[in-house]
Amino acid sequence: LVSTSWEQISPTNCVAELTDADSVNHIVIFLTGQTPFPEGMGGAVYFAWPNLTGGEGPNWHLLGHISNEKPSAIFRINKLKGGQDVIPNTFLGHKPVNHINALVGISVEPLAVLAGQTPAAEAEAINQSTFMQFSEKMLENLFNFATSFAIQPGDPRVKPDEMYIPMSSLQQWYSNFQRRLQQNPNFWKSYEKSIG
């Protein structure tokens, strides 16, 4: 579910509605590159679950921030649904009528202020180590899957019309990819498609 429908509610605040929020466990926020933040500024990212107790307005939770130097972030929100770690409504009382969806808000603030803020305890930013753990597990899974089909050249299951990759090539690729991932977890972003 991609949402680009942001409503500017003040010069420094905007909100977007998350439909069917019960099925959402992660929120990804990123700058598109069209309009950077002003120098020295960034965006505090908030999440609001509807106030189901009849109180005034939704409950806003600080998730973290984005900036020109950190243009994207992934937040796990499933523990915030109906949670208690709330902050005052910084979005000028934005209260949709009969609201059954959640909200995401971005507040443009100085980087110094953002650095001093503490995200909600239940908000969990997905960090680089989680990405690296996933990548390493994916590599291991691919390697184990491919090696489970290994056969010797004289094996009767060898089909003359199929190409085979030497296990040493797969092992070398696996080792190189793992080494590069350790050196720079984002190296794959500069890969160009070379299959063809």
Side-chain angles (χ1 to χ4, degrees):
L1 174 67
V2 176
S3 176
T4 58
S5 304
W6 290 87
E7 176 187 351
Q8 187 166 356
I9 58 174
S10 79
T12 59
N13 293 311
C14 62
V15 294
E17 202 164 6
L18 287 179
T19 58
D20 193 22
D22 277 337
S23 65
V24 176
N25 291 319
H26 295 82
I27 295 175
V28 179
I29 303 290
F30 57 90
L31 296 175
T32 62
Q34 286 183 315
T35 308
F37 284 109
E39 187 67 33
M41 303 295 276
V45 180
Y46 295 89
F47 172 74
W49 188 251
N51 190 338
L52 304 175
T53 62
E56 197 173 310
N59 296 319
W60 289 96
H61 305 269
L62 175 65
L63 298 178
H65 74 277
I66 57 172
S67 65
N68 295 335
E69 293 76 30
K70 181 187 167 203
S72 65
I74 303 172
F75 303 102
R76 184 173 294 154
I77 60 163
N78 54 337
K79 294 180 183 176
L80 291 175
K81 297 174 183 177
Q84 300 302 315
D85 192 8
V86 299
I87 61 168
N89 186 347
T90 61
F91 295 95
L92 305 174
H94 181 73
K95 297 181 278 186
V97 179
N98 297 326
H99 196 281
I100 58 169
N101 298 325
L103 297 170
V104 175
I106 297 181
S107 176
V108 178
E109 300 174 14
L111 291 174
V113 171
L114 295 175
Q117 293 178 337
T118 304
E122 296 87 3
E124 184 180 333
I126 305 300
N127 59 26
Q128 204 74 338
S129 64
T130 304
F131 172 74
M132 287 193 48
Q133 289 172 351
F134 166 75
S135 299
E136 287 176 350
K137 292 295 181 190
M138 183 183 64
L139 286 170
E140 289 174 20
N141 184 276
L142 171 64
F143 184 78
N144 291 337
F145 178 78
T147 58
S148 71
F149 293 99
I151 54 178
Q152 296 294 325
D155 191 300
R157 295 177 290 166
V158 173
K159 298 177 183 170
D161 58 336
E162 286 189 20
M163 291 179 35
Y164 291 89
I165 300 170
M167 287 306 302
S168 59
S169 296
L170 186 59
Q171 177 65 49
Q172 182 180 0
W173 168 82
Y174 175 77
S175 299
N176 289 341
F177 199 93
Q178 202 170 33
R179 177 182 45 78
R180 292 184 73 189
L181 188 63
Q182 291 294 328
Q183 291 172 347
N184 176 9
N186 294 313
F187 83 93
W188 55 271
K189 291 181 179 181
S190 63
Y191 264 26
E192 291 187 27
K193 187 176 178 180
S194 60
I195 299 173

Short mmCIF file of all heavy atoms in Angstrom, two decimals, residues 161-196:
data_model
loop_
_atom_site.label_atom_id
_atom_site.label_comp_id
_atom_site.label_asym_id
_atom_site.label_seq_id
_atom_site.Cartn_x
_atom_site.Cartn_y
_atom_site.Cartn_z
N ASP A 161 20.73 -31.59 -21.91
CA ASP A 161 20.22 -30.32 -22.42
C ASP A 161 20.15 -29.22 -21.33
O ASP A 161 19.63 -28.15 -21.57
CB ASP A 161 18.84 -30.52 -23.04
CG ASP A 161 17.83 -31.11 -22.07
OD1 ASP A 161 18.25 -31.78 -21.11
OD2 ASP A 161 16.62 -30.88 -22.26
N GLU A 162 20.68 -29.48 -20.12
CA GLU A 162 20.69 -28.48 -19.06
C GLU A 162 22.10 -28.00 -18.79
O GLU A 162 23.06 -28.75 -18.90
CB GLU A 162 20.10 -29.06 -17.76
CG GLU A 162 18.60 -29.22 -17.81
CD GLU A 162 18.02 -29.58 -16.44
OE1 GLU A 162 18.68 -29.34 -15.41
OE2 GLU A 162 16.90 -30.11 -16.41
N MET A 163 22.21 -26.71 -18.42
CA MET A 163 23.51 -26.16 -18.04
C MET A 163 23.71 -26.36 -16.55
O MET A 163 22.76 -26.30 -15.78
CB MET A 163 23.56 -24.66 -18.37
CG MET A 163 23.57 -24.37 -19.84
SD MET A 163 23.61 -22.60 -20.25
CE MET A 163 24.58 -21.86 -19.01
N TYR A 164 24.95 -26.56 -16.15
CA TYR A 164 25.27 -26.75 -14.74
C TYR A 164 26.30 -25.72 -14.33
O TYR A 164 27.18 -25.35 -15.11
CB TYR A 164 25.78 -28.17 -14.49
CG TYR A 164 24.69 -29.20 -14.67
CD1 TYR A 164 24.44 -29.78 -15.91
CD2 TYR A 164 23.89 -29.56 -13.61
CE1 TYR A 164 23.43 -30.69 -16.08
CE2 TYR A 164 22.86 -30.47 -13.76
CZ TYR A 164 22.63 -31.04 -15.00
OH TYR A 164 21.62 -31.94 -15.17
N ILE A 165 26.19 -25.27 -13.10
CA ILE A 165 27.11 -24.29 -12.56
C ILE A 165 28.03 -25.02 -11.58
O ILE A 165 27.55 -25.72 -10.69
CB ILE A 165 26.35 -23.17 -11.82
CG1 ILE A 165 25.40 -22.46 -12.79
CG2 ILE A 165 27.31 -22.18 -11.18
CD1 ILE A 165 24.44 -21.50 -12.12
N PRO A 166 29.33 -24.87 -11.73
CA PRO A 166 30.25 -25.52 -10.79
C PRO A 166 29.99 -25.00 -9.36
O PRO A 166 29.78 -23.80 -9.16
CB PRO A 166 31.64 -25.11 -11.27
CG PRO A 166 31.44 -24.65 -12.67
CD PRO A 166 30.04 -24.14 -12.77
N MET A 167 29.98 -25.89 -8.39
CA MET A 167 29.76 -25.50 -7.00
C MET A 167 30.80 -24.49 -6.54
O MET A 167 30.50 -23.62 -5.73
CB MET A 167 29.78 -26.73 -6.09
CG MET A 167 28.54 -27.60 -6.22
SD MET A 167 26.97 -26.72 -5.97
CE MET A 167 27.18 -26.07 -4.35
N SER A 168 32.01 -24.59 -7.07
CA SER A 168 33.06 -23.65 -6.67
C SER A 168 32.67 -22.22 -7.08
O SER A 168 32.98 -21.26 -6.36
CB SER A 168 34.40 -24.03 -7.28
OG SER A 168 34.31 -24.06 -8.70
N SER A 169 31.96 -22.05 -8.20
CA SER A 169 31.51 -20.72 -8.63
C SER A 169 30.47 -20.17 -7.67
O SER A 169 30.50 -18.99 -7.30
CB SER A 169 30.92 -20.78 -10.04
OG SER A 169 31.88 -21.16 -10.96
N LEU A 170 29.53 -21.01 -7.27
CA LEU A 170 28.51 -20.58 -6.32
C LEU A 170 29.13 -20.25 -4.97
O LEU A 170 28.79 -19.25 -4.34
CB LEU A 170 27.43 -21.66 -6.16
CG LEU A 170 26.22 -21.30 -5.31
CD1 LEU A 170 25.50 -20.08 -5.87
CD2 LEU A 170 25.26 -22.47 -5.23
N GLN A 171 30.09 -21.07 -4.53
CA GLN A 171 30.79 -20.80 -3.27
C GLN A 171 31.56 -19.49 -3.34
O GLN A 171 31.53 -18.70 -2.40
CB GLN A 171 31.75 -21.95 -2.94
CG GLN A 171 32.57 -21.73 -1.67
CD GLN A 171 31.73 -21.68 -0.41
OE1 GLN A 171 30.91 -22.54 -0.20
NE2 GLN A 171 31.92 -20.67 0.41
N GLN A 172 32.22 -19.22 -4.47
CA GLN A 172 32.97 -17.97 -4.62
C GLN A 172 32.02 -16.78 -4.61
O GLN A 172 32.30 -15.78 -3.97
CB GLN A 172 33.78 -18.00 -5.91
CG GLN A 172 34.62 -16.75 -6.10
CD GLN A 172 35.41 -16.79 -7.41
OE1 GLN A 172 35.33 -17.74 -8.17
NE2 GLN A 172 36.17 -15.74 -7.64
N TRP A 173 30.89 -16.88 -5.32
CA TRP A 173 29.90 -15.80 -5.31
C TRP A 173 29.39 -15.55 -3.90
O TRP A 173 29.32 -14.41 -3.45
CB TRP A 173 28.72 -16.15 -6.23
CG TRP A 173 27.57 -15.22 -6.05
CD1 TRP A 173 27.41 -13.97 -6.61
CD2 TRP A 173 26.43 -15.42 -5.22
NE1 TRP A 173 26.23 -13.41 -6.17
CE2 TRP A 173 25.62 -14.27 -5.31
CE3 TRP A 173 26.02 -16.46 -4.39
CZ2 TRP A 173 24.42 -14.14 -4.62
CZ3 TRP A 173 24.82 -16.33 -3.70
CH2 TRP A 173 24.04 -15.19 -3.82
N TYR A 174 29.06 -16.62 -3.19
CA TYR A 174 28.55 -16.50 -1.83
C TYR A 174 29.56 -15.80 -0.92
O TYR A 174 29.23 -14.87 -0.19
CB TYR A 174 28.22 -17.90 -1.29
CG TYR A 174 27.79 -17.94 0.15
CD1 TYR A 174 26.51 -17.55 0.52
CD2 TYR A 174 28.66 -18.39 1.14
CE1 TYR A 174 26.11 -17.60 1.84
CE2 TYR A 174 28.27 -18.44 2.46
CZ TYR A 174 26.99 -18.04 2.81
OH TYR A 174 26.60 -18.09 4.12
N SER A 175 30.81 -16.21 -0.99
CA SER A 175 31.86 -15.60 -0.16
C SER A 175 32.06 -14.13 -0.51
O SER A 175 32.18 -13.28 0.38
CB SER A 175 33.19 -16.36 -0.33
OG SER A 175 33.04 -17.69 0.08
N ASN A 176 32.10 -13.81 -1.82
CA ASN A 176 32.28 -12.42 -2.24
C ASN A 176 31.11 -11.54 -1.81
O ASN A 176 31.29 -10.42 -1.34
CB ASN A 176 32.46 -12.34 -3.76
CG ASN A 176 33.80 -12.88 -4.21
OD1 ASN A 176 34.73 -13.00 -3.43
ND2 ASN A 176 33.89 -13.20 -5.49
N PHE A 177 29.90 -12.04 -1.99
CA PHE A 177 28.71 -11.26 -1.63
C PHE A 177 28.68 -11.01 -0.12
O PHE A 177 28.42 -9.90 0.33
CB PHE A 177 27.44 -11.99 -2.07
CG PHE A 177 26.23 -11.10 -2.15
CD1 PHE A 177 25.89 -10.50 -3.34
CD2 PHE A 177 25.44 -10.88 -1.04
CE1 PHE A 177 24.78 -9.68 -3.44
CE2 PHE A 177 24.33 -10.06 -1.11
CZ PHE A 177 24.00 -9.46 -2.31
N GLN A 178 28.99 -12.04 0.65
CA GLN A 178 29.01 -11.91 2.10
C GLN A 178 30.08 -10.90 2.54
O GLN A 178 29.82 -10.06 3.41
CB GLN A 178 29.26 -13.27 2.72
CG GLN A 178 28.80 -13.39 4.15
CD GLN A 178 28.84 -14.83 4.62
OE1 GLN A 178 29.70 -15.60 4.22
NE2 GLN A 178 27.92 -15.18 5.49
N ARG A 179 31.25 -10.95 1.94
CA ARG A 179 32.32 -10.00 2.27
C ARG A 179 31.91 -8.58 1.94
O ARG A 179 32.07 -7.67 2.75
CB ARG A 179 33.61 -10.38 1.51
CG ARG A 179 34.77 -9.41 1.73
CD ARG A 179 36.00 -9.81 0.91
NE ARG A 179 35.74 -10.18 -0.47
CZ ARG A 179 35.52 -9.30 -1.46
NH1 ARG A 179 35.54 -8.01 -1.23
NH2 ARG A 179 35.29 -9.73 -2.70
N ARG A 180 31.34 -8.39 0.75
CA ARG A 180 30.91 -7.04 0.35
C ARG A 180 29.79 -6.51 1.24
O ARG A 180 29.73 -5.33 1.55
CB ARG A 180 30.50 -7.04 -1.12
CG ARG A 180 31.71 -7.28 -2.04
CD ARG A 180 31.35 -7.19 -3.47
NE ARG A 180 31.13 -5.79 -3.82
CZ ARG A 180 30.63 -5.39 -4.98
NH1 ARG A 180 30.31 -6.28 -5.89
NH2 ARG A 180 30.45 -4.12 -5.23
N LEU A 181 28.90 -7.39 1.66
CA LEU A 181 27.81 -7.00 2.54
C LEU A 181 28.35 -6.54 3.89
O LEU A 181 27.86 -5.55 4.46
CB LEU A 181 26.84 -8.17 2.72
CG LEU A 181 25.54 -7.90 3.45
CD1 LEU A 181 24.70 -6.88 2.68
CD2 LEU A 181 24.76 -9.19 3.62
N GLN A 182 29.39 -7.21 4.39
CA GLN A 182 30.00 -6.81 5.65
C GLN A 182 30.70 -5.46 5.53
O GLN A 182 30.66 -4.65 6.44
CB GLN A 182 31.00 -7.87 6.13
CG GLN A 182 30.37 -9.17 6.57
CD GLN A 182 29.53 -9.02 7.82
OE1 GLN A 182 29.81 -8.21 8.68
NE2 GLN A 182 28.48 -9.81 7.89
N GLN A 183 31.34 -5.22 4.38
CA GLN A 183 32.06 -3.96 4.17
C GLN A 183 31.11 -2.78 3.98
O GLN A 183 31.37 -1.68 4.47
CB GLN A 183 32.98 -4.07 2.95
CG GLN A 183 34.13 -5.00 3.15
CD GLN A 183 34.90 -5.24 1.85
OE1 GLN A 183 34.45 -4.90 0.76
NE2 GLN A 183 36.08 -5.85 1.98
N ASN A 184 30.03 -3.00 3.24
CA ASN A 184 29.08 -1.92 2.94
C ASN A 184 27.70 -2.55 2.70
O ASN A 184 27.44 -3.06 1.60
CB ASN A 184 29.53 -1.13 1.72
CG ASN A 184 28.52 -0.06 1.32
OD1 ASN A 184 27.57 0.22 2.03
ND2 ASN A 184 28.73 0.53 0.16
N PRO A 185 26.81 -2.50 3.69
CA PRO A 185 25.51 -3.14 3.54
C PRO A 185 24.67 -2.59 2.39
O PRO A 185 23.71 -3.21 1.98
CB PRO A 185 24.82 -2.87 4.87
CG PRO A 185 25.93 -2.61 5.83
CD PRO A 185 27.03 -1.97 5.02
N ASN A 186 25.04 -1.44 1.85
CA ASN A 186 24.27 -0.84 0.76
C ASN A 186 24.94 -0.97 -0.60
O ASN A 186 24.53 -0.32 -1.56
CB ASN A 186 23.99 0.64 1.06
CG ASN A 186 23.09 0.80 2.25
OD1 ASN A 186 22.07 0.13 2.35
ND2 ASN A 186 23.47 1.67 3.17
N PHE A 187 25.98 -1.80 -0.70
CA PHE A 187 26.70 -1.91 -1.97
C PHE A 187 25.79 -2.36 -3.12
O PHE A 187 25.99 -1.97 -4.26
CB PHE A 187 27.89 -2.88 -1.85
CG PHE A 187 27.52 -4.34 -2.00
CD1 PHE A 187 27.59 -4.95 -3.24
CD2 PHE A 187 27.07 -5.08 -0.92
CE1 PHE A 187 27.24 -6.28 -3.39
CE2 PHE A 187 26.73 -6.40 -1.07
CZ PHE A 187 26.79 -7.01 -2.31
N TRP A 188 24.80 -3.15 -2.82
CA TRP A 188 23.90 -3.70 -3.84
C TRP A 188 23.08 -2.61 -4.52
O TRP A 188 22.58 -2.82 -5.61
CB TRP A 188 22.97 -4.74 -3.21
CG TRP A 188 22.21 -4.20 -2.04
CD1 TRP A 188 22.60 -4.19 -0.73
CD2 TRP A 188 20.95 -3.54 -2.08
NE1 TRP A 188 21.65 -3.58 0.04
CE2 TRP A 188 20.63 -3.18 -0.76
CE3 TRP A 188 20.05 -3.23 -3.10
CZ2 TRP A 188 19.45 -2.50 -0.44
CZ3 TRP A 188 18.88 -2.57 -2.76
CH2 TRP A 188 18.59 -2.22 -1.44
N LYS A 189 22.96 -1.43 -3.91
CA LYS A 189 22.19 -0.35 -4.53
C LYS A 189 22.83 0.17 -5.81
O LYS A 189 22.17 0.78 -6.62
CB LYS A 189 21.99 0.80 -3.55
CG LYS A 189 21.07 0.44 -2.39
CD LYS A 189 20.89 1.61 -1.46
CE LYS A 189 19.95 1.26 -0.33
NZ LYS A 189 19.73 2.38 0.58
N SER A 190 24.12 -0.07 -5.95
CA SER A 190 24.82 0.42 -7.15
C SER A 190 24.90 -0.64 -8.24
O SER A 190 25.49 -0.41 -9.28
CB SER A 190 26.23 0.89 -6.79
OG SER A 190 26.99 -0.20 -6.29
N TYR A 191 24.30 -1.82 -7.99
CA TYR A 191 24.29 -2.89 -8.99
C TYR A 191 23.43 -2.50 -10.19
O TYR A 191 22.37 -1.92 -10.04
CB TYR A 191 23.71 -4.17 -8.40
CG TYR A 191 24.74 -5.14 -7.88
CD1 TYR A 191 26.00 -4.73 -7.46
CD2 TYR A 191 24.45 -6.48 -7.82
CE1 TYR A 191 26.90 -5.61 -6.98
CE2 TYR A 191 25.37 -7.39 -7.32
CZ TYR A 191 26.59 -6.95 -6.92
OH TYR A 191 27.52 -7.83 -6.45
N GLU A 192 23.92 -2.82 -11.36
CA GLU A 192 23.11 -2.65 -12.57
C GLU A 192 22.75 -4.03 -13.09
O GLU A 192 23.51 -4.98 -12.92
CB GLU A 192 23.90 -1.88 -13.64
CG GLU A 192 24.11 -0.43 -13.24
CD GLU A 192 24.72 0.36 -14.38
OE1 GLU A 192 24.54 -0.01 -15.55
OE2 GLU A 192 25.41 1.33 -14.08
N LYS A 193 21.63 -4.12 -13.73
CA LYS A 193 21.18 -5.40 -14.27
C LYS A 193 22.15 -5.86 -15.34
O LYS A 193 22.39 -5.17 -16.31
CB LYS A 193 19.76 -5.27 -14.83
CG LYS A 193 19.19 -6.57 -15.24
CD LYS A 193 17.74 -6.39 -15.70
CE LYS A 193 17.18 -7.71 -16.15
NZ LYS A 193 15.82 -7.61 -16.60
N SER A 194 22.69 -7.07 -15.16
CA SER A 194 23.65 -7.59 -16.14
C SER A 194 23.24 -8.97 -16.64
O SER A 194 24.01 -9.65 -17.26
CB SER A 194 25.04 -7.64 -15.54
OG SER A 194 25.05 -8.48 -14.40
N ILE A 195 22.02 -9.38 -16.31
CA ILE A 195 21.54 -10.67 -16.78
C ILE A 195 20.98 -10.48 -18.18
O ILE A 195 20.21 -9.59 -18.44
CB ILE A 195 20.45 -11.23 -15.84
CG1 ILE A 195 21.02 -11.42 -14.44
CG2 ILE A 195 19.88 -12.52 -16.38
CD1 ILE A 195 20.00 -11.80 -13.41
N GLY A 196 21.33 -11.31 -19.07
CA GLY A 196 20.74 -11.08 -20.35
C GLY A 196 21.21 -11.98 -21.38
O GLY A 196 20.93 -12.13 -22.45
#
